[in-house]
Amino acid sequence: MSPPSGSVALANLQGKLGYQFNDQQLLALALTHRSAGKRNNERLEFLGDSLVNHVVALQLYDRFPEASEGQLTRLRSRLVRGSFLAGIGRDFDLAECLVLGAGERKSGGRNKESVLADAVEAIAGAVLLDAGEQRAMNVVAAWFAEALGSLQPVGDKDNKTLLQEWQQARNAGLPRYEVVTVTGPDHQQEFEVACHAEGLTQPCTGRGSSRRHAEQQAAATALAVLRND
């Protein structure tokens, strides 16, 4: 059964999405997994997948005018892959809003990457139908803004991967990340994360609007410190 349109969870979710639905039933449908019945989010997912790919491609094209087609394709693949979209879903606390069938609930469906990623795409499709193309593009672009700001067209490896490889090359232990603080209202949270890594005299911290982004910033700082040493 769909969560009530006026529920606190759905209100918080719309705040994190950066969009308030005119038609709450569209949002409810986007959150309904196929295991819950015939009326589910698969068609919205189809629509949202196209929108997400389109928005990310445009953002990359504008941001990296010198990048080759191959570089742009690799960067887009990083942002639209299931694991990344699932991370966006976790940032939205999407799991508590999902409508799942009994079997899917028992098998841990709320936390499955595929379920979360599909729901993110379905929500994008729902925003498109509810708001129109231009508004929907702006909303979806905001979901990727921070990640786009940290991308580089050359190398194609994020800071956490680079730090891990740096440590492995020196037979050092793997870095460890710890959330230090979470501040701000639900729709505008800021995370502070500490990176602990062998070779550092003290942990390096990073801040961001999601745990994932804060970890990337902390890893970048740690890598800079280790390289300078």
Side-chain angles (χ1 to χ4, degrees), residues 137-220:
M137 288 178 64
N138 291 339
V139 170
V140 172
W143 300 351
F144 292 88
E146 190 167 354
L148 282 162
S150 65
L151 283 180
Q152 297 181 12
V154 178
D156 289 342
K157 291 182 180 178
D158 61 32
N159 291 314
K160 288 180 66 176
T161 300
L162 291 171
L163 177 58
Q164 180 173 316
E165 290 179 349
W166 174 276
Q167 295 295 80
Q168 288 175 328
R170 288 154 182 79
N171 295 316
L174 295 178
R176 179 172 60 85
Y177 300 90
E178 173 191 10
V179 176
V180 179
T181 60
V182 181
T183 56
D186 286 344
H187 67 282
Q188 200 173 8
Q189 288 183 328
E190 182 176 68
F191 291 76
E192 181 181 4
V193 169
C195 174
H196 303 263
E198 190 175 334
L200 295 174
T201 57
Q202 60 184 16
C204 291
T205 60
R207 291 180 178 271
S209 60
S210 70
R211 176 174 179 169
R212 183 177 66 256
H213 296 139
E215 288 177 350
Q216 290 290 347
Q217 188 179 98

Side-chain angles (χ1 to χ4, degrees), residues 10 13 16-17 27 30-31 85-86 88-99 110 115-121 123:
L10 287 187
L13 173 60
K16 293 174 183 178
L17 292 174
L27 176 58
L31 296 169
L85 293 176
I88 291 177
R90 293 189 187 98
D91 292 343
F92 291 158
D93 291 327
L94 202 54
E96 63 181 301
C97 298
L98 294 174
V99 180
R110 291 191 186 282
V115 173
L116 289 168
D118 290 349
V120 168
E121 291 180 335
I123 291 171

Side-chain angles (χ1 to χ4, degrees), residues 44-96:
L44 286 175
E45 177 198 338
F46 165 78
L47 198 60
D49 174 70
S50 296
L51 177 63
V52 167
N53 274 275
H54 180 58
V55 168
V56 170
L58 279 176
Q59 295 290 316
L60 291 171
Y61 185 86
D62 289 340
R63 185 173 182 82
F64 302 113
E66 303 301 322
S68 68
E69 183 270 344
Q71 288 174 314
L72 292 173
T73 298
R74 286 191 294 274
L75 289 173
R76 183 181 61 183
S77 295
R78 285 175 55 184
L79 294 180
V80 302
R81 68 187 181 212
S83 58
F84 190 89
L85 293 176
I88 291 177
R90 293 189 187 98
D91 292 343
F92 291 158
D93 291 327
L94 202 54
E96 63 181 301

